[in-house]
């Protein structure tokens, strides 16, 4: 049994995820993230292929939104509240725990973990809300 794919909702969710990243790692927490990563404004420009990084980021956001849409399809495309809860559960249960393990072994700071895991929680909740609204 297949589920309907909501292409417009997936595209809008991916764009929104990209926009959240721009705000999250820009004016909101960009300086704190750079400090925790040991990145300076000068070093951030060295060897940084912006079209490749941003283009790949957008494609990966499309994949995430597509998979989240599929997950929602298995629930019969839930209403907004449940969709946001499911999306948040995916972010906390799979993404945050996975990067948490990596950050522990990489000896990354708790602050960096909270910045990055918080981003994924927000982006998935936003994507979930958009997919629920447009599906």
């Amino acid at each position: 049994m297949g589920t309907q794919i909501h292409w417009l909702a997936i595209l809008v969710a991916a764009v929104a995820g990209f926009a959240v990243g721009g705000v999250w790692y820009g004016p909101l927490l960009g300086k704190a993230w750079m400090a925790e990563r040991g990145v300076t404004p000068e070093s951030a420009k060295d060897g940084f292929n912006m079209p490749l990084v941003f283009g790949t980021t957008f494609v990966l956001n499309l994949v995430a939104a597509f998979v989240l849409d599929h997950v929602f399809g298995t629930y019969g495309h839930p209403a907004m509240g449940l969709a946001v809860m499911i999306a948040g559960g995916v972010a906390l249960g799979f993404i945050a725990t996975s990067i948490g393990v990596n950050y522990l072994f990489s000896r990354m700071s708790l602050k960096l973990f909270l910045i990055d895991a918080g981003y994924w929680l927000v982006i998935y909740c936003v994507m979930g809300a958009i997919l629920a609204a447009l599906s």
Side-chain angles (χ1 to χ4, degrees), residues 93-112:
F94 295 106
I95 297 171
T97 56
S98 297
I99 65 172
V101 169
N102 289 350
Y103 281 27
L104 284 170
F105 281 96
S106 298
R107 298 179 183 169
M108 302 287 190
S109 71
L110 176 61
K111 184 175 181 179
L112 182 61

Side-chain angles (χ1 to χ4, degrees), residues 42-134:
E42 297 78 29
S43 70
K45 296 174 186 172
D46 292 339
F48 188 74
N49 184 339
M50 285 179 46
L52 176 65
V53 171
F54 289 144
T56 304
T57 297
F58 183 72
V59 168
L60 294 172
N61 280 344
L62 279 171
V63 171
F66 176 84
V67 172
L68 192 58
D69 184 61
H70 177 72
V71 168
F72 288 169
T74 65
Y75 286 92
H77 290 285
M80 179 72 67
L82 182 56
V84 172
M85 286 176 45
I86 293 168
V90 167
L92 291 174
F94 295 106
I95 297 171
T97 56
S98 297
I99 65 172
V101 169
N102 289 350
Y103 281 27
L104 284 170
F105 281 96
S106 298
R107 298 179 183 169
M108 302 287 190
S109 71
L110 176 61
K111 184 175 181 179
L112 182 61
F113 169 76
L114 293 173
I115 291 169
D116 289 339
Y119 162 73
W120 287 108
L121 177 60
V122 170
I123 190 177
Y124 266 77
C125 289
V126 168
M127 283 186 176
I130 289 169
L131 291 170
L134 298 180

